[in-house]
Amino acid sequence: MSGSPNNLGAFRIKGAGRLTPARTARFTFDGKSYTAMEGDTVASALLAHGVHLVGRSFKYHRPRGILSAGPEEPNALLDVARDSARRQPNVRATVQEVFDGAKIASQNRWPSLAFDVGAVNNLLSPFFAAGFYYKTFMWPREAWSKLYEPIIRRAAGLGVAPKEEDPDHYANRFAHCDVLIAGAGVAGLTAALSAAATGAQVILVDEQPEVGGALHFDASTSIDGQNGYDWAQATAAKLAAMPNVRILTRTTVFGYYNHGFLGLAERVTDHLARPGRDLPRERLWQVRAKRVILATGAIERHMVFANNDRPGIMLASAARTFLNHHGVTVGRKVGVYTAHDSAYEAAFDLKRAGVTIAAIVDSRAKPGEAVAAEAKRLGIEVLTGHAVLDTSGRLRISSMKVARIGSTDSRKIAVDALIVSAGWTPSVHLFSQSRGKLRYDEANQRFLPDIYAQDCVSVGACNGTDEIAALIDEAAAAGGGTVAMGGESKFAWTGGMIGAAEGAGADTTVKAFVDFQHDVTAKDIRLAVREGMHSIEHIKRFTTNGMASDQGKLSNMHGLAIAAEMLDRPLPTVGLTTFRAPYTPVTYGTLVSHSRGDLFDPARQTPMHALQAAAGAAFEDVGNWKRAWYFPRRGEDMAAAVNRECRTVREVAGVFDASTLGKIEVVGPDAAKFLNLLYTNAWDTLKPGKSRYGIMTREDGFVYDDGVVGQLAEDRFHVTTTTGGAPRVLHHMEDYLQTEFPDLKVWLTSTTEQWAVIAVQGPKAREIIAPLVEGLDLSNEAFPHMSVAECSVMGVPARLFRMSFTGELGFEVNVPADYGAAVWTAIRERTEALGGCLYGTEAMHVLRAEKGYIIVGQDTDGTVTPDDAGLGWAVSKKKTDFVGIRGLKRPDLMRDGRKQLVGLLTNRPSDVLEEGAQIVADPNQPKPMTMLGHVTSAYWSENCGRSIAMALVAGGRARIGQTLYVPMQDRTIAVEVTDTVFFDKEGGRIHG
């Protein structure tokens, strides 16, 4: 073996790999400085310097090394930093590319990686068997919060989350394509060539820095007469030159959702030493594809045997990747333990590079003839029908204990690395996420795609297609075009074994790991079955097998096989755990993208916001909106300001910004019919120029939203919703229009932001707006309560509603948002000249409560019917159908004793109840008390000269006149049950 200069690592093989020695990068690992080649991953760079120990396991703190060379890595999770502010924990060393100046640290150890105090857990492991937490922390009961929980919380987690604010920025892109191809190996590239030839818009995605897939490690494949890897790079260049193809490398398809929607995470600058300020760190792609081609390949399985987790033990494909792509050998004397021919190819590559192969231990009785012959030719000892019983070594493997299966005689073979392979598991994760159904291939012990739920197709190794020629034909057909090329490969995916292979005579008290990250052993799986877990989903949760950040890519199949063996049942009948998104971990930054800081929950402001701020308004958050809460004058606190505003509205008039109300334009010849189906009351009897209050229920019959609907023409309605309900009501309407009533000719348009709405309420409201309104008679006779008309206000096109949420004479002026400030200013000047004022949401709440008007979401709680809210009159008795009609007819929703909305008056007028307070019939009853309901709204009413409240009370209307009680922390308040109207019970003021 010919080594490279020491500064690049003693295990770097001169002339091997595809990296350029002249292009280097410096980095540190746990404070020690190393040199890497540009293109190295952290894993390959550390291995080049002989560093195998990179971390400690989660539960037992056992020494752990690099196991794989790809995204399935469970062990080598590191902390990667650029500077003090740019640090990310739990980065997979096998994925992270080295960049100059990288500061890399191991995790889950103290005080150092080589000497970790937490390793005492390994000695105590008999007490930490699977499911121990379900049993250990149950006694004594009172010790949970004081003793167990603080300890568990301190011990939980991998890595340390940064405390500093993330200085990087992230991006988001939306894209549409005809074909999205996940995976750019031979199958993916072939499918892309085929699809691109048809003129389709193609997006080709691969998580590695370069295309090629398995060609990174497989040097035996040739395509179209050239080396497979070289063919892949040339093909990528050809595709990149096509205007209808987009290639995204360093990008992972992490989620496959309904209707061809996929989530992609692109690592844009994580590999750069000095990324430009204008570049995002990562980019989220949200792609809608007509068709998806899955070419995601296969994941190599490890072997399960005693102490199979020592540093220096890794997958055979990983050893080939590090050698053939990075030019790094994993050791000088390497052992091989396998149940599949592919590990032989790794041994051959290492042998030809000058590495000593101590022995190939094959659990099968007979390997493939070709590999057996080549092993003999190269002088490699092959032990068929043998098993590795155990390994030795403290911080790195130093030997393996080998015996013939069924024999008690063993031998010890010295090694400094051990590569393993139990065959290959097709990567069906995305297929499973798409809701496709799998079938079990008994001959090769693997699950393969079977029944598709979406327009997608699996090709290549992920579909169980093993031969290169068949793979090319299959991928070309999936692309829809034609590709004329051939290929040859010695590599075979078929076969292998799953389950435990401890071997005869193995000490089963020693740990044989199935899930490396969560320290789940074969013994744990067997214990779970003995404890009564017969479903793989139960076994998964009892043991946590497959629940780590690697999502069981290596462990799921082994766990399933061991469980099936214990249950003595065919493997498919035990079940298969569900593969969920994300395929690999995705950072919060990628998902959040621009939605951080001020953009995390963007504040929405009405067109009159600045004018209200200048008027001294205090604002409150209502959903995303900033709404004027109250307008304090000098010397006034909130209570004094609200009392003045309420009194002024009743005596003179007030101006209120109602722009935040949801507004939806419902247009079309079937608009009235559509509203009839969505609301409880009738709309076909409404006439243009009139409005009506409407209640919307869900299918279960409970109140969903309310608002006033104005009819502007036979085929046009202006629908208002609650401020917080606007988006969900529009979604609700669109959902039913598209799925239940697609035959109706109706169009829905959100117009919330189009109209600025100025509510003028009070006895002098008509006098205030009359001079500003053009072309409309505002008299009671010509424009009565609940009228609507299109007109002009100050020369601006407007929609004027005669309506009220205060019980006073009221108008709502709707003008285009751009003119809102000007019209507001004019109305405010006239109002204040007549002695009126501006008022905010708090006064609005008090005024509406005085009249018993409800607010959906405050006086309702998702279990309230229209009748419960005192709005039974708004449910049509003549309609045969509307959303919620069947729910309202359920016996439980019609029974006596349901909670109903009533009013409450405290015995002491000055007592203001707390909203949410519980109500009881007898304050002296023993605990737990029987609660009759709760207070929904409670205020001091200046106009009533006392406190008022509304509440949902069991059998509420039948209790009117009774005395109930509201227990508070320091006292109990007696209340009288009343109706919900506290002011102007006759309702004459609303008609002016």
Side-chain angles (χ1 to χ4, degrees):
M1 181 175 67
S2 176
S4 290
N6 285 335
N7 68 324
L8 290 177
F11 289 83
R12 186 87 63 178
I13 297 179
K14 186 176 182 180
R18 304 183 179 103
L19 308 185
T20 304
R23 300 168 69 177
T24 62
R26 297 282 296 175
F27 71 100
T28 62
F29 176 62
D30 282 352
K32 186 176 180 180
S33 183
Y34 297 94
T35 302
M37 287 190 194
E38 189 176 296
D40 265 325
T41 62
V42 173
S44 65
L46 289 174
L47 290 172
H49 290 275
V51 178
H52 282 259
L53 175 65
V54 293
R56 292 277 178 165
S57 68
F58 173 59
K59 186 162 68 172
Y60 299 137
H61 285 248
R62 290 169 65 96
R64 287 286 164 81
I66 296 156
L67 181 66
S68 74
E72 66 272 23
E73 176 59 41
N75 290 337
L77 303 182
L78 305 174
D79 189 288
V80 178
R82 293 180 184 277
D83 49 49
S84 59
R86 287 177 168 84
R87 185 176 65 80
Q88 182 178 336
N90 299 322
V91 177
R92 290 156 294 161
T94 53
V95 172
Q96 175 65 56
E97 297 169 69
V98 171
F99 57 85
D100 199 53
K103 298 178 179 65
I104 299 164
S106 56
Q107 303 180 152
N108 205 38
R109 82 291 187 277
W110 186 84
S112 69
L113 185 58
F115 179 75
D116 177 23
V117 171
V120 69
N121 287 2
N122 194 45
L123 300 176
L124 301 174
S125 60
F127 300 101
F128 297 149
F132 77 95
Y133 29 78
Y134 295 123
K135 305 168 186 177
T136 307
F137 306 122
M138 300 298 102
W139 183 90
R141 189 172 183 178
E142 61 274 9
W144 169 255
S145 60
K146 295 180 180 179
L147 176 62
Y148 299 138
E149 186 178 18
I151 294 174
I152 291 171
R153 287 192 179 278
R154 282 196 295 270
L158 286 169
V160 179
K163 296 180 180 179
E164 304 81 9
E165 183 177 350
D166 187 353
D168 293 308
H169 70 279
Y170 301 81
N172 182 42
R173 289 282 299 273
F174 294 89
H176 293 76
C177 64
D178 297 314
V179 181
L180 183 137
I181 302 169
V186 176
L189 288 167
T190 303
L193 282 173
S194 175
T198 68
Q201 294 294 321
V202 177
I203 297 179
L204 176 63
V205 186
D206 196 275
E207 60 195 350
Q208 299 193 67
E210 316 90 1
V211 301
L215 298 174
H216 281 79
F217 67 78
D218 178 20
S220 67
T221 297
S222 63
I223 301 174
D224 256 6
Q226 57 182 320
N227 173 269
Y229 183 84
D230 295 337
W231 168 86
Q233 308 316 306
T235 301
K238 179 180 178 181
L239 288 168
M242 297 182 180
N244 59 325
V245 177
R246 171 182 277 145
I247 300 177
L248 296 174
T249 54
R250 296 188 177 92
T251 304
T252 303
V253 181
F254 65 80
Y256 190 165
Y257 308 97
N258 290 337
H259 307 292
F261 182 72
L262 300 102
L264 284 57
E266 181 185 6
R267 306 183 304 278
V268 182
T269 61
D270 278 351
H271 62 293
L272 300 178
R274 286 170 288 278
R277 289 177 174 267
D278 57 329
L279 290 175
R281 178 178 175 182
E282 295 176 343
R283 181 181 290 114
L284 173 67
W285 289 82
Q286 298 180 66
V287 181
R288 188 78 68 177
K290 288 182 181 178
R291 192 169 202 231
V292 177
I293 298 176
L294 301 176
T296 48
I299 300 170
E300 193 168 23
R301 304 168 186 159
H302 66 285
M303 297 289 280
V304 181
F305 56 96
N307 289 312
N308 62 336
D309 66 327
R310 296 193 194 279
I313 302 176
M314 69 177 62
L315 298 176
S317 60
R320 290 189 83 188
T321 300
F322 295 130
L323 177 67
N324 294 331
H325 189 72
H326 299 284
V328 172
T329 178
V330 297
R332 292 191 170 92
K333 188 176 184 181
V334 178
V336 181
Y337 184 27
T338 185
H340 192 268
D341 284 354
S342 64
Y344 284 77
E345 298 295 339
F348 301 159
D349 286 352
L350 288 166
K351 179 69 173 178
R352 295 183 187 111
V355 177
T356 299
I357 303 299
I360 297 177
V361 181
D362 195 331
S363 63
R364 301 170 298 171
K366 187 177 182 181
E369 292 182 5
V371 295
E374 182 66 9
K376 183 176 181 180
R377 191 187 71 80
L378 292 174
I380 301 174
E381 181 182 12
V382 178
L383 302 173
T384 57
H386 281 64
V388 174
L389 304 184
D390 201 350
T391 62
S392 300
R394 191 175 77 85
L395 300 179
R396 179 176 173 180
I397 186 173
S398 60
S399 67
M400 58 181 180
K401 181 181 179 183
V402 179
R404 179 176 293 278
I405 296 174
S407 171
T408 57
D409 296 331
S410 63
R411 60 184 278 203
K412 189 174 184 180
I413 301 175
V415 296
D416 62 355
L418 174 61
I419 62 175
V420 298
S421 177
W424 296 82
T425 300
S427 183
V428 295
H429 302 73
L430 293 178
F431 173 79
S432 182
Q433 288 178 23
S434 76
R435 294 307 182 197
K437 303 298 182 184
L438 300 166
R439 64 177 174 84
Y440 187 62
D441 176 9
E442 180 69 40
N444 296 298
Q445 294 187 298
R446 59 189 181 183
F447 284 94
L448 298 174
D450 186 20
I451 301 173
Y452 288 84
Q454 300 194 47
D455 188 1
C456 74
V457 61
S458 297
V459 297
C462 69
N463 194 43
T465 306
D466 302 312
E467 297 298 328
I468 189 71
L471 181 150
I472 291 172
D473 291 343
E474 179 180 75
T482 58
V483 176
M485 65 184 190
E488 294 182 2
S489 178
K490 297 178 183 177
F491 190 78
W493 303 92
T494 307
M497 58 147 292
I498 50 177
E502 289 97 342
D507 183 356
T508 56
T509 63
V510 181
K511 298 177 182 65
F513 287 92
V514 175
D515 186 315
F516 292 93
Q517 194 173 118
H518 272 185
D519 279 336
V520 180
T521 65
K523 182 180 178 182
D524 292 329
I525 305 293
R526 295 189 176 98
L527 175 63
V529 175
R530 288 198 298 271
E531 292 273 3
M533 310 294 164
H534 293 174
S535 164
I536 194 63
E537 290 287 1
H538 292 159
I539 293 169
K540 171 182 176 179
R541 283 153 182 80
F542 188 79
T543 63
T544 70
N545 184 56
M547 294 176 65
S549 64
D550 62 322
Q551 293 266 323
K553 291 179 178 64
L554 296 172
S555 62
N556 276 353
M557 289 299 292
H558 284 309
L560 178 57
I562 295 169
E565 177 191 348
M566 283 291 294
L567 292 167
D568 194 23
R569 286 165 50 187
L571 189 145
T573 65
V574 181
L576 186 66
T577 56
T578 302
F579 297 111
R580 297 184 176 91
Y583 173 69
T584 52
V586 180
T587 64
Y588 283 120
T590 301
L591 297 176
V592 170
S593 187
H594 301 297
S595 301
R596 52 190 288 198
D598 291 339
L599 297 179
F600 175 71
D601 198 21
R604 304 177 71 182
Q605 299 178 356
T606 73
M608 290 81 81
H609 180 89
L611 294 176
Q612 293 173 86
F619 290 91
E620 68 167 336
D621 295 324
V622 181
N624 289 87
W625 290 100
K626 294 288 185 182
R627 300 196 72 181
W629 195 5
Y630 57 97
F631 292 86
R633 293 179 179 173
R634 180 172 296 179
E636 288 183 336
D637 60 9
M638 178 178 174
V642 171
N643 290 340
R644 172 181 53 77
E645 291 171 14
C646 291
R647 188 174 59 250
T648 302
V649 171
R650 296 286 186 211
E651 294 174 356
V652 185
V655 180
F656 176 72
D657 184 357
S659 302
T660 63
L661 291 176
K663 294 171 278 294
I664 302 170
E665 199 91 351
V666 181
V667 181
D670 295 324
K673 185 177 180 181
F674 176 68
L675 293 176
N676 260 342
L677 291 166
L678 267 291
Y679 284 85
T680 62
N681 38 356
W683 301 95
D684 47 7
T685 58
L686 196 66
K687 301 298 180 185
K690 298 298 180 182
S691 300
R692 182 169 291 165
Y693 174 76
I695 291 285
M696 180 181 286
T697 59
R698 303 188 309 242
E699 288 188 354
D700 53 17
F702 297 127
V703 174
Y704 187 63
D705 204 79
D706 69 344
V708 172
V709 179
Q711 186 169 8
L712 303 172
E714 291 291 345
D715 63 347
R716 184 178 297 270
F717 291 82
H718 179 115
V719 177
T720 65
T721 74
T722 57
T723 293
R728 59 181 170 84
V729 169
L730 180 62
H731 179 273
H732 181 75
M733 288 182 166
E734 285 282 10
D735 187 25
Y736 277 94
L737 183 60
Q738 293 181 32
T739 61
E740 303 298 324
F741 316 127
D743 55 311
L744 298 183
K745 296 180 179 179
V746 178
W747 293 268
L748 307 174
T749 306
S750 173
T751 58
T752 300
E753 293 82 7
Q754 179 179 340
W755 299 102
V757 183
I758 304 162
V760 186
Q761 306 281 307
K764 295 187 178 182
R766 182 186 291 109
E767 184 178 350
I768 291 169
I769 70 167
L772 306 177
V773 178
E774 303 163 1
L776 185 64
D777 184 354
L778 297 182
S779 65
N780 270 334
E781 296 75 19
F783 200 66
H785 180 59
M786 298 305 284
S787 295
V788 59
E790 294 186 294
C791 59
S792 293
V793 174
M794 298 174 59
V796 175
R799 290 177 179 175
L800 184 65
F801 285 79
R802 170 87 184 271
M803 57 190 289
S804 175
F805 199 46
T806 62
E808 299 292 333
L809 169 66
F811 299 87
E812 288 191 2
V813 181
N814 290 251
V815 295
D818 288 347
Y819 298 97
V823 176
W824 168 275
T825 299
I827 291 176
R828 175 190 173 185
E829 289 174 352
R830 286 195 51 77
T831 301
E832 292 178 342
L834 294 173
C837 69
L838 305 178
Y839 71 98
T841 55
E842 189 65 19
M844 177 269 290
H845 277 261
V846 177
L847 294 167
R848 65 91 194 171
E850 291 174 351
K851 291 294 296 178
Y853 298 156
I854 72 165
I855 291 181
V856 172
Q858 179 168 333
D859 299 304
T860 65
D861 63 358
T863 65
V864 173
T865 68
D867 183 69
D868 296 339
L871 300 170
W873 54 267
V875 180
S876 173
K877 304 299 188 291
K878 297 180 180 180
K879 289 167 60 173
T880 59
D881 191 22
F882 60 82
V883 175
I885 190 170
R886 292 183 64 185
L888 288 172
K889 292 178 179 179
R890 287 184 294 159
D892 186 62
L893 269 63
M894 303 173 69
R895 65 174 171 80
D896 294 334
R898 284 187 58 79
K899 289 183 179 180
Q900 296 170 332
L901 194 67
V902 293
L904 299 179
L905 292 176
T906 57
N907 281 7
R908 289 200 312 173
S910 60
D911 287 339
V912 179
L913 300 174
E914 290 185 14
E915 292 177 352
Q918 297 294 307
I919 302 168
V920 299
D922 178 7
N924 299 313
Q925 62 182 291
K927 297 178 180 178
M929 293 181 169
T930 299
M931 303 298 174
L932 299 177
H934 70 280
V935 178
T936 63
S937 299
Y939 310 97
W940 169 262
S941 169
E942 187 73 3
N943 293 307
C944 296
R946 59 161 302 120
S947 67
I948 60 173
M950 291 194 288
L952 285 169
V953 177
R957 291 194 286 271
R959 296 179 184 272
I960 290 178
Q962 294 182 12
T963 298
L964 299 178
Y965 299 90
V966 180
M968 306 301 292
Q969 190 168 7
D970 56 344
R971 60 198 168 107
T972 297
I973 301 174
V975 296
E976 179 189 354
V977 181
T978 70
D979 63 31
T980 56
V981 182
F982 303 100
F983 185 85
D984 185 30
K985 287 182 179 290
E986 297 75 21
R989 299 172 70 97
I990 203 167
H991 298 290

